[in-house]
Amino acid sequence: MATQAIPLGEEKAIFRVCPVTRLRVDLAAERMIIANATAAVVFLLVGGIMGLLLALTRWEAIHLLPATWYYRLVTAHGFNMLVAWIVFFEAAGLYFGSTVLLNARLVSPRAAQAAFALMLLGALLVNAIVLAGHADVMFTAYVPLKAHPLFYLGIILFALGALTAVVLFFANIFVARLEGRYTGSVPLVVFGLATAAIIATYTLLSGAIAFIPAFFWSLGWLRTYDPGFYRNLFWGFGHPAQQINLAAMVAVWYALAAITVGATPINEKLCRLAFVLYILFINLGAAHHLLVDPGLSFAWKMFNTSYAMYLAVLGSLIHAFSIPAAVEVALRRQGYQRGLFEWLRRAPWQEPGFAALVVSMILFGWLGGVSGVIIGTEQLNMQFHNTLAVPGHFHATVVGGTTLAFMGLTYYLIPLIFRRELRLKRLATWQPYVFGLGMLLLILGFLFSGTLGVPRRHWGVFTTPAIFSSLIPEPARLSLALAGIGGIIAAIGGAMFVLVVLSSVLTGAAQEARSLRLVLADPADPPEATEIAHVEPRGTFLIMLAFLAFFILVYSRNWWLLGARGWLVH
Amino acid sequence: MEKERMPLGQAIFDELFLLFLLSLIISLILYNVWGLLDLLRTPLLPP
Amino acid sequence: MVAPPRVWWRPLDRLERTWLLLAFGWCLVLFAMMPIWLAFGRHNVPATIYRASAAQFRQRVEEFVQKYQVGTEKGIPIVEPPPGDVYLLARQWQWYPILKLKKGQTYRLHISSIDVQHGFSIQPANLSFQILPEYVYVITLTPLESGEFSIICNEFCYIGHHVMIGRILVTD
């Protein structure tokens, strides 16, 4: 009965067939993917320039910006990177996953255009109002610090647009199923994107619940807004927003592994279980920001900060194993069988997608994941709350992890979706390494500064004109300089990315894609592919044991450091 | 041709709408409602 | 990227199963550490909280300052209270007053803000707590070392945020 109400859009949608993947691409969907991806890269460029200026201000030997502009740009940088760049790219990813990968059509091109317009309008409004100096309140906008009403309105408009895109994603899948465009389970990458979309729904609803009263309060329609309530509601938006990135990034990791080495999931059940754990428990991690807040019980903090017994961490530990394992199994099947690590030595390190995958996984897991669990432990959080270690953690996850993975995928969208030849291939090969090195230094600089007590969002602990000294230990000058140098290198890596993308899109020859890989066509001396029924990822298992040992060591050390504090507290 | 029976676990994992509802319920109750109740239970400063 | 076989629900391999169990075991350790530390650790997050209006809290702090003031530094009163209830007020952009404490004694530090949110971060001991208006955070502190300590505000509290640095003196 319900099926009759849904029109078969075959006559309206116009498809082309991709010569490499044999997938059917709805041209309306393709246009929306291009629009969202382009907006994403533009905001990345703007936010990146701001990021460089900020890094050069925190490096107190340089101390580039005056205080007011420093705070203004922290606000704008946070919004442009954490919200605009990432969500525009995710919208592109959602359209890609729900149409191209399922041979399906975009159900409503008009709704997709409306979503895009709302998001663009909201993002421009926020930028305008912040840069005009009417919203120096940070990305978090903690009540009762008040911004101009248009600031809240801009965020609400953006969230509404993003919500429309998420609803369209589900509608596309639903209609594709009804029209019989795919049968059985959706591919794992689409399942990962669905995870991101589910988390996004809760996130965007929370955002509305947090910001709509703030909007009314800024207009004077609401007299008071409890700061504790705002923090609970805001972080229901702010933290899961980053978990959308996590889920989308993991989906992109699986995609990059498939594109660059032809990896297939080693065990669909295991991989999907990890995504289901995200769906069910990861939103609880919003509590990470409230661990030293007044008014919340130990039981609430412990249960929520641990995602109900670290079940979402378990999900990440599963992906951390299953993705390299899939790569290892694929490469071993191609004949790289010798020893534990021949597959790793002979992997396509020059292929930008593979480089981005590996660097992104290392920065995300070894630095971002481990620091996240430590900072998110109830008592350990007293050593880290609002210190520079927190940006250290999320630059490892969102920048080293998500942004780099998305950059890696963008290179493949250029031939497949933009249908342009990738130019400056050598630059593309080097880009993930340069960007990764810069982020590594920046992250380490931030983490060390944080453990020395340097606060985040602070114009200067050594250069402050305050009447008393901050008493921050001198070595923090070095760690802040390290972060500044990392920021410069990362900015170069970011510029390389923008250069490759722009020159390919604007001047690359218009042509149909010819192969999935960009730089390497085939290995120079292909070994004999072997027909083995069963391949064990032994090398990956060993790497994971080393990772676990590192995790245990760093985690234990932080308990020891807390126990050695010169002030007792309870 | 007899079709292989679909395992229950796979059927659940394929049911995105069910997972979506569970996710929303778990997050709203454990994080939002419990947290806001904690805040509401804060006593007044004793004289 | 490609669709899985129709039935993909199959048992895990040896290494997959081993890793899953190892990872889950580690997750349980991570979880257990928090209640264990609550029971045995000497550094735990304070859980005593009250509600108070800005005016009420401000009056409480003024009474406290008048009672125990021993001097003034740079216009801010220095207060030397006996062990027990101690008050500290956060506002744009000042920690009020300066506290003079004794090493090894235990104080119940009541902190609240009378304007926006602030961050109480005691340095170089490096312990941080979130301070909200309308909520009084009661932090039970015992300094084990003497000397000079600073209080950095580590929650952004508008453009004078970086000048909000306070002082605690601990004597033998």
Side-chain angles (χ1 to χ4, degrees):
Chain A
M1 211 164 64
T3 51
Q4 285 170 348
I6 290 156
L8 270 171
E10 192 68 62
E11 68 281 356
K12 267 192 257 166
I14 302 163
F15 290 88
R16 70 174 172 92
V17 176
C18 174
V20 176
T21 58
R22 316 304 307 168
L23 287 165
R24 282 152 46 90
V25 182
D26 176 359
L27 293 181
E30 186 177 85
R31 277 194 294 277
M32 290 321 296
I33 295 168
I34 289 176
N36 281 286
T38 307
V41 173
V42 170
F43 280 104
L44 177 70
L45 177 63
V46 173
I49 293 169
M50 291 173 174
L52 177 64
L53 298 177
L54 296 175
L56 292 179
T57 307
R58 288 310 302 255
W59 183 0
E60 293 194 25
I62 293 184
H63 216 226
L64 187 65
L65 297 172
T68 308
W69 273 98
Y70 167 76
Y71 293 126
R72 202 160 283 164
L73 289 194
V74 177
T75 309
H77 171 74
F79 177 82
N80 285 332
M81 294 308 224
L82 286 175
V83 180
W85 141 246
I86 297 261
V87 179
F88 271 117
F89 196 89
E90 277 158 1
L94 290 179
Y95 294 139
F96 179 72
S98 63
T99 61
V100 179
L101 288 182
L102 298 178
N103 285 311
R105 68 188 172 93
L106 183 61
V107 177
S108 167
R110 195 161 296 165
Q113 285 159 6
F116 180 75
L118 275 175
M119 285 164 67
L120 194 62
L121 183 67
L124 292 177
L125 197 55
V126 170
N127 271 283
I129 219 75
V130 169
L131 293 178
H134 297 303
D136 296 327
V137 294
M138 299 290 137
F139 165 63
T140 45
Y142 287 136
V143 167
L145 194 60
K146 200 179 280 183
H148 193 282
L150 288 180
F151 172 80
Y152 305 102
L153 187 66
I155 293 177
I156 293 167
L157 290 180
F158 188 93
L160 281 178
L163 200 57
T164 311
V166 171
V167 171
L168 254 180
F169 169 81
F170 287 117
N172 288 341
I173 293 186
F174 186 68
V175 170
R177 170 136 233 151
L178 285 182
E179 293 179 354
R181 293 180 197 273
Y182 77 96
T183 50
S185 309
V186 295
L188 184 64
V189 172
V190 181
F191 193 71
L193 289 171
T195 304
I198 289 173
I199 299 169
T201 313
Y202 169 77
T203 302
L204 295 165
L205 287 176
S206 297
I209 299 173
F211 278 107
I212 290 175
F215 177 51
F216 292 164
W217 167 76
S218 71
L219 285 167
W221 300 352
L222 203 68
R223 221 165 44 86
T224 57
Y225 192 175
D226 185 289
F229 276 44
Y230 176 81
R231 286 175 68 81
N232 179 294
L233 297 172
F234 173 83
W235 284 114
F237 161 76
H239 200 82
Q242 310 320 314
Q243 317 287 22
I244 309 170
N245 307 339
L246 164 73
M249 172 192 70
V250 174
V252 169
W253 282 349
Y254 280 106
L256 286 175
I259 292 170
T260 57
V261 298
T264 49
I266 47 164
N267 185 316
E268 290 273 350
K269 181 168 83 173
L270 187 68
C271 302
R272 283 171 201 247
L273 169 69
F275 280 121
V276 170
L277 290 174
Y278 283 168
I279 293 176
L280 298 183
F281 300 109
I282 207 159
N283 290 340
L284 305 182
H288 290 175
H289 301 264
L290 312 179
L291 294 179
V292 294
D293 264 36
L296 299 161
S297 59
F298 172 78
W300 182 90
K301 288 176 177 173
M302 175 191 72
F303 196 79
N304 281 283
T305 194
S306 67
Y307 314 96
M309 302 211 291
Y310 288 99
L311 291 176
V313 172
L314 182 63
S316 291
L317 289 171
I318 291 175
H319 290 308
F321 173 77
S322 73
I323 295 172
V327 170
E328 176 173 357
V329 168
L331 287 168
R332 280 181 186 274
R333 286 233 159 90
Q334 285 162 29
Y336 302 115
Q337 275 282 14
R338 263 171 305 182
L340 277 170
F341 293 116
E342 192 201 10
W343 62 277
L344 197 60
R345 281 199 312 277
R346 304 291 294 275
W349 294 99
Q350 286 162 287
E351 186 71 18
F354 187 78
L357 170 68
V358 174
V359 177
S360 164
M361 285 197 75
I362 291 173
L363 290 179
F364 185 93
W366 290 66
L367 293 175
V370 171
S371 66
V373 167
I374 291 169
I375 295 175
T377 301
E378 204 241 4
Q379 295 95 338
L380 296 179
N381 186 256
M382 289 187 288
Q383 304 178 94
F384 298 107
H385 178 72
N386 274 352
T387 68
L388 209 47
V390 176
H393 155 72
F394 70 70
H395 279 79
T397 53
V398 181
V399 191
T402 308
T403 298
L404 188 51
F406 286 5
M407 283 173 168
L409 187 67
T410 306
Y411 292 131
Y412 298 85
L413 293 181
I414 289 172
L416 294 175
I417 298 291
F418 285 76
R419 285 183 281 167
R420 298 279 175 169
E421 193 194 1
L422 188 78
R423 301 200 62 228
L424 306 174
K425 289 197 174 72
R426 281 182 65 87
L427 210 58
T429 294
W430 280 99
Q431 189 271 336
Y433 299 111
V434 175
F435 188 75
L437 174 71
M439 286 320 297
L440 175 71
L441 298 182
L442 180 122
I443 294 158
L444 290 177
F446 276 7
L447 288 173
F448 288 137
S449 302
T451 56
L452 294 169
V454 178
R456 66 188 290 199
R457 297 169 164 182
H458 196 283
W459 183 60
V461 287
F462 296 111
T463 42
T464 172
I467 50 175
F468 302 118
S469 159
S470 66
L471 300 182
I472 293 289
E474 284 296 313
R477 287 182 195 274
L478 288 180
S479 53
L480 287 169
L482 186 68
I485 294 166
I488 295 172
I489 299 174
I492 294 171
M496 287 163 73
F497 169 75
V498 174
L499 199 64
V500 172
V501 170
L502 285 185
S503 73
S504 304
V505 171
L506 298 177
T507 71
Q511 61 176 40
E512 293 290 337
R514 277 171 301 195
S515 82
L516 266 181
R517 282 191 180 180
L518 294 172
V519 174
L520 302 170
D522 283 300
D525 50 340
E528 264 180 51
T530 35
E531 285 298 323
I532 328 150
H534 189 73
V535 185
E536 274 199 325
R538 299 198 311 276
T540 298
F541 190 73
L542 200 69
I543 295 172
M544 292 317 293
L545 288 182
F547 171 71
L548 193 59
F550 169 76
F551 198 163
I552 292 171
L553 202 73
V554 181
Y555 180 75
S556 315
R557 178 170 159 74
N558 276 283
W559 280 112
W560 186 81
L561 284 174
L562 179 64
R565 295 280 139 173
W567 290 62
L568 304 185
V569 55
H570 68 268
Chain B
M1 194 183 77
E2 183 122 348
K3 274 198 169 177
E4 198 183 341
R5 217 171 62 83
M6 188 72 77
L8 180 65
Q10 179 171 342
I12 292 174
F13 278 24
D14 273 349
E15 203 50 68
L16 286 174
F17 191 67
L18 174 77
L19 296 175
F20 173 70
L21 270 186
L22 283 175
S23 163
L24 217 54
I25 291 170
I26 290 174
S27 313
L28 284 174
I29 292 182
L30 290 176
Y31 174 79
N32 293 105
V33 175
W34 184 5
L36 294 175
L37 281 178
D38 268 3
L39 290 177
L40 282 174
R41 282 203 305 248
T42 310
L44 292 175
L45 184 67
Chain C
M1 295 259 272
V2 291
R6 203 183 73 84
V7 173
W8 42 261
W9 190 268
R10 57 180 179 79
L12 304 181
D13 276 350
R14 187 175 62 109
L15 288 182
E16 291 161 6
R17 202 170 42 240
T18 315
W19 175 250
L20 186 65
L21 289 175
L22 267 178
F24 187 56
W26 176 235
C27 288
L28 291 180
V29 173
L30 294 176
F31 186 68
M33 270 309 287
M34 289 188 281
I36 290 173
W37 192 270
L38 180 72
F40 301 107
R42 297 195 301 167
H43 301 77
N44 271 294
V45 180
T48 313
I49 315 292
Y50 299 111
R51 257 176 197 284
S53 69
Q56 188 193 359
F57 187 75
R58 186 184 199 146
Q59 191 196 350
R60 191 71 69 92
V61 176
E62 285 304 341
E63 286 164 10
F64 165 75
V65 169
Q66 273 172 17
K67 205 162 167 189
Y68 300 114
Q69 183 168 1
V70 294
T72 306
E73 190 182 349
K74 292 177 178 162
I76 301 172
I78 304 173
V79 173
E80 188 173 6
D85 289 338
V86 172
Y87 291 83
L88 185 69
L89 182 144
R91 64 181 162 211
Q92 288 168 324
W93 292 288
Q94 190 186 57
W95 295 99
Y96 177 92
I98 296 168
L99 296 172
K100 203 168 175 183
L101 308 177
K102 280 223 156 33
K103 181 177 148 183
Q105 301 290 347
T106 299
Y107 299 87
R108 281 165 42 89
L109 183 54
H110 296 54
I111 315 180
S112 187
S113 160
I114 57 166
D115 40 48
V116 298
Q117 302 194 15
H118 295 284
F120 174 82
S121 177
I122 185 160
Q123 299 298 342
N126 194 17
L127 293 168
S128 301
F129 303 93
Q130 185 77 24
I131 305 302
L132 307 186
E134 294 163 59
Y135 292 82
V136 180
Y137 212 145
V138 184
I139 302 175
T140 307
L141 280 172
T142 312
L144 296 181
E145 47 201 26
S146 55
E148 196 183 310
F149 295 87
S150 75
I151 311 166
I152 294 183
C153 176
N154 71 0
E155 182 57 75
F156 176 71
C157 54
Y158 208 52
I159 49 179
H161 169 53
H162 50 277
V163 303
M164 185 168 169
I165 296 180
R167 212 160 133 81
I168 296 182
L169 305 164
V170 180
T171 55
D172 281 310

